[in-house]
Amino acid sequence: SRCQMGIVMRRLTQSCGLGSSPGHGRWYLDETYREKEGPKPPMRYVWRNIILMSLLHLGAIFGLTLIPSAKIQTLAWAILCFVVSALGITAGSHRLWSHRSYKATLPLRIFLTIANSVAFQNDIYEWVRDHRVHHKFSETDADPHNAMRGFFFSHIGWLLVRKHPDVIEKGQKLDLSDIKADKVVMFQRKYYKPSVVLLCFTLPTVVPWYFWNESIVISFFIPAILRYTIGLNATWLVNSAAHMFGNRPYDQNINPRENPLVSLGALGEGFHNYHHTFPYDYSTSEFGWRFNLTTAFIDLMCLLGLASDRKKVSKEVILARKMRTGDGSHKSG
Ligand code: ST9
Ligand code: ZN
């Protein structure tokens, strides 16, 4: 059965010494978890989310039709908002707060938190909690966007239904003490709703309207609505496409794949077979800046003295791992 396959796959990956590195193991793959036997609990739709997500995507399509009438500055502003928001997710809630793959000074953490609210993907605390449980119980009932439930569920469906009880049960046992101790993160959590109204929707709309007399409709539907929707879908593709399409040069026993196209849109987060094999690597890839603006950004921050302690897996360890558990695709690539 699927369940038993899961257990076998877990044992396989565990026996290869994953999660043994101290300090990271806490959030890494848990071999003891078993999906509950018997019928799955019924899906409970959250109609508020279904309606809001549908309206958002209709608004984004409307935004697309407005592109030919937009000023060039407005389009440049929308791209800037996209990149800033994306860094708030990739360099912020993902590589810094979820995986602790490097250290950031207070000014950088403040910037990343602001950028994170521009992205509006739940507050950092909630994002990290869901993400750690995703890695630890990957592709099981306790994974919030369990890719075994198909493309649609792992892409957007998981945000439209109540969570599987195991996500909450297992999530409550996670160690989030480092996140709770970060005052910037907890400040964002406290003021999350107003921060999103201001930074995800109001600021992106007001700037083009005020500074270069863009129409208010275009200002709202391109830099706010369309940009936000593209950011969401680029992120969700990591959970859907990068768990289904691509090679597995590092570990063929897990589902996540290397997907350069997803990496392009997600600023370096599509090298997902690598990332699930070495989740503590600050670059989420062995190839440095290739399709990886986030790595370039973190390196720049280090150069400026705003970040430090980048964790990187050595070439020898990567090669040994490819030989031991990879699918062999690295030889042809
Ligand atoms: C969004 C997030 O889009 C996207 C994240 C993607 C992750 C990507 C990973 C890939 C990595 C690479 C990054 C690439 C980036 C690329 C960027 C390029 C641009 N543990 O949640 P509730 C408890 S968000 C422990 O309501 P329901 C907890 O007590 C989009 N406990 O569950 C909680 O209360 P509280 C915008 C947990 O009722 C309580 O349960 N946002 C856990 O089942 C209730 O929690 C939305 O659309 C846990 N893991 O509802 C909102 N989880 O929080 C969508 C829960 O107070 N969310 N608990 O402590 C919702 O409306 C709801 O969560 C729900 C489930 C309806 C989905
Ligand atoms: Zn991750």
Side-chain angles (χ1 to χ4, degrees), residues 29-44:
L29 207 60
D30 183 329
E31 63 173 325
T32 62
Y33 171 71
R34 302 282 180 278
E35 284 185 342
K36 294 192 176 71
E37 301 287 334
K40 304 278 181 197
M43 287 230 256
R44 287 186 290 141

Side-chain angles (χ1 to χ4, degrees), residues 94 99 131 135 275:
H94 192 221
H99 294 295
H131 194 67
H135 273 268
H275 176 58

Side-chain angles (χ1 to χ4, degrees), residues 200-212:
C200 178
F201 298 110
T202 309
L203 186 76
T205 305
V206 165
V207 166
W209 170 78
Y210 183 83
F211 287 102
W212 51 87

Side-chain angles (χ1 to χ4, degrees), residues 46 48-49 53 82 85-86 89-90 94 120-122 125-127 129-131 133-134 144-145 158-163 167-172 174 189 228 230-232 234-236 238-239 265-267 269 272 275:
V46 178
R48 179 181 138 265
N49 290 12
M53 276 299 173
F82 172 83
S85 70
I89 298 300
T90 60
H94 192 221
F120 182 17
Q121 291 193 9
N122 299 333
Y125 179 91
E126 186 172 339
W127 206 104
R129 189 174 61 186
D130 276 347
H131 194 67
V133 92
H134 161 68
H145 30 84
W158 67 283
L159 293 164
L160 309 178
V161 295
R162 298 278 165 217
K163 285 171 172 158
V167 173
I168 294 172
E169 189 189 313
K170 293 294 168 189
Q172 279 164 349
L174 289 173
R189 183 160 168 83
Y228 173 47
I230 292 175
L232 284 180
T235 306
W236 298 339
V238 179
N239 296 335
L267 308 195
E269 301 282 19
H272 216 46
H275 176 58

Side-chain angles (χ1 to χ4, degrees), residues 12 24 43 48 57 69 106 120 132 140 188 232 247 258 265 282 284 298 309 317:
L12 267 172
H24 312 295
M43 287 230 256
R48 179 181 138 265
H57 283 76
S69 6
L106 181 65
F120 182 17
R132 286 185 184 171
T140 71
Q188 189 217 29
L232 284 180
N247 293 329
E258 298 294 284
Y282 88 101
T284 69
I298 297 171
D309 294 298
V317 169

Side-chain angles (χ1 to χ4, degrees), residues 95-96 99-103 280-282 309-311:
R95 300 189 197 181
L96 176 65
H99 294 295
R100 295 282 166 203
S101 68
Y102 68 100
K103 289 202 175 85
Y280 41 87
D281 188 312
Y282 88 101
D309 294 298
R310 286 162 290 182
K311 296 196 182 73

